Amino acid sequence: MSRRWVLNASPIMALSATGHVSLVTELSEQAVVPSGVAEEILRGPADSPAVQWLNGEGGRLVQAVDGLDPAVLAWDLGRCETEVLTWARRHPEFEAVLDGRAERVCAAAFNVPVRCTLGIILLAKRLGRIPAVGPVLAALEEAGFPVDPTLRAQIIQHAGD
């Protein structure tokens, strides 16, 4: 396995909210949470699963990003997304784990490989880490992370659920 991921806040919050944040370290050889991403998450409520994860096991994944890439800054995506993409551009062996459309478009412009939260869930199913994707998708929606119904059906079909 040579999966290396640099994670944005949304995937961490979504996976934490569903009790699946352990997939980050189970499925990757190395994972990084840029310090700006960690700071944003840690501004949330203390009882948030993402905050609890970062204050525990996830804290060891936090890395500072020294100086932001001016080319990424020009996209005006926000600090977290800019740190994720700066890290990924400087470390081409990493995939950027992002969910938003604008940051995925930016990543594509720089040939940065991207994985999303749903991609992690599909990978977990393929590798036998979860028995089915349907319950995880339902948990995501219940936690406030909407999944387009058409996409939901495609994911379930692709996973063979």
Side-chain angles (χ1 to χ4, degrees):
M1 163 178 58
S2 68
R3 284 182 217 95
R4 291 182 171 89
W5 296 339
V6 55
L7 294 111
N8 198 17
S10 175
I12 294 169
M13 293 187 305
L15 292 169
S16 296
T18 63
H20 291 89
V21 74
S22 63
L23 292 174
V24 168
T25 53
E26 290 174 20
L27 300 177
S28 68
E29 179 180 311
Q30 183 180 4
V32 169
V33 176
S35 56
V37 170
E39 289 169 17
E40 178 178 303
I41 292 170
L42 291 170
R43 283 194 292 269
D47 63 348
S48 156
V51 169
Q52 292 175 353
W53 181 73
L54 276 174
N55 282 329
E57 176 191 353
R60 67 181 174 82
L61 307 178
V62 177
Q63 297 281 329
V65 178
D66 297 323
L68 299 175
D69 184 321
V72 176
L73 269 171
W75 283 73
D76 196 29
L77 297 172
R79 179 178 176 197
C80 294
E81 294 78 8
T82 301
E83 283 194 10
V84 168
L85 291 167
T86 293
W87 180 279
R89 288 196 71 202
R90 290 180 184 160
H91 302 89
E93 68 278 13
F94 277 78
E95 286 180 294
V97 182
L98 304 159
D99 287 329
R101 181 180 308 272
E103 56 260 32
R104 287 182 291 145
V105 170
C106 178
F110 293 117
N111 295 315
V112 170
V114 173
R115 184 176 301 268
C116 64
T117 301
L118 299 177
I120 291 174
I121 292 166
L122 277 169
L123 177 63
K125 167 67 164 104
R126 184 171 54 94
L127 296 177
R129 299 298 174 111
I130 59 173
V133 298
V136 180
L137 296 176
L140 277 173
E141 292 171 321
E142 196 172 300
F145 296 91
V147 179
D148 176 79
T150 303
L151 181 59
R152 185 183 208 291
Q154 290 171 343
I155 290 169
I156 289 172
Q157 180 181 10
H158 181 75
D161 282 10

